[in-house]
């Protein structure tokens, strides 16, 4: 199964956890990056990348199909539409 999306999340965020569980429950292939667990240059690079998609740096930020669609926050209806669930 190829990766369809990247989930940028915080390990302590309830909305991020809900998004992760939702994606897992629907067998969506995704990379999960807990930004708060990153350190140093890796963290800076990821934050710069997220800022390009979501200037407010709020979480969760879901990047679908390489940036074809960006979903900020946990919105099941938007995720379902973007991924044809």
């Amino acid at each position: 199964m190829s990766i369809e999306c990247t989930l940028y999340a915080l390990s302590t965020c309830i909305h991020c956890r809900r998004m992760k569980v939702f994606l897992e429950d629907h067998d969506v292939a995704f990379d999960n990056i807990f930004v708060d667990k990153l350190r140093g240059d890796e963290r800076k690079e990821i934050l710069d990348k997220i800022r390009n998609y979501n200037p407010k740096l709020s979480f969760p930020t879901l990047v679908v199909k390489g940036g074809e669609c960006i979903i900020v926050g946990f919105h099941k209806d938007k995720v379902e539409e973007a991924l044809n669930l």
Side-chain angles (χ1 to χ4, degrees):
M1 183 181 293
S2 64
I3 301 297
E4 295 181 64
C5 13
T6 301
L7 174 62
Y8 297 100
L10 299 175
S11 63
T12 56
C13 167
I14 186 69
H15 304 292
C16 299
R17 274 188 253 145
R18 287 182 180 155
M19 176 77 86
K20 183 176 182 285
V21 168
F22 182 81
L23 295 172
E24 290 170 346
D25 287 349
H26 288 83
D27 295 323
V28 175
F30 67 101
D31 281 333
N32 184 31
I33 299 173
F34 285 121
V35 177
D36 57 327
K37 301 266 185 187
L38 302 175
R39 298 287 177 253
D41 289 343
E42 184 180 25
R43 181 180 179 132
K44 183 182 179 320
E45 287 174 26
I46 293 295
L47 287 174
D48 287 344
K49 185 183 254 186
I50 297 169
R51 198 172 282 116
N52 287 329
Y53 298 123
N54 171 13
K56 292 184 178 180
L57 284 176
S58 49
F59 298 94
T61 296
L62 184 68
V63 178
V64 180
K65 298 175 184 167
E68 188 175 294
C69 178
I70 310 298
I71 300 170
V72 177
F74 178 47
H75 302 283
K76 287 193 314 190
D77 55 333
K78 291 180 181 178
V79 176
E80 288 171 342
E81 183 179 333
L83 296 172
N84 296 318
L85 299 177

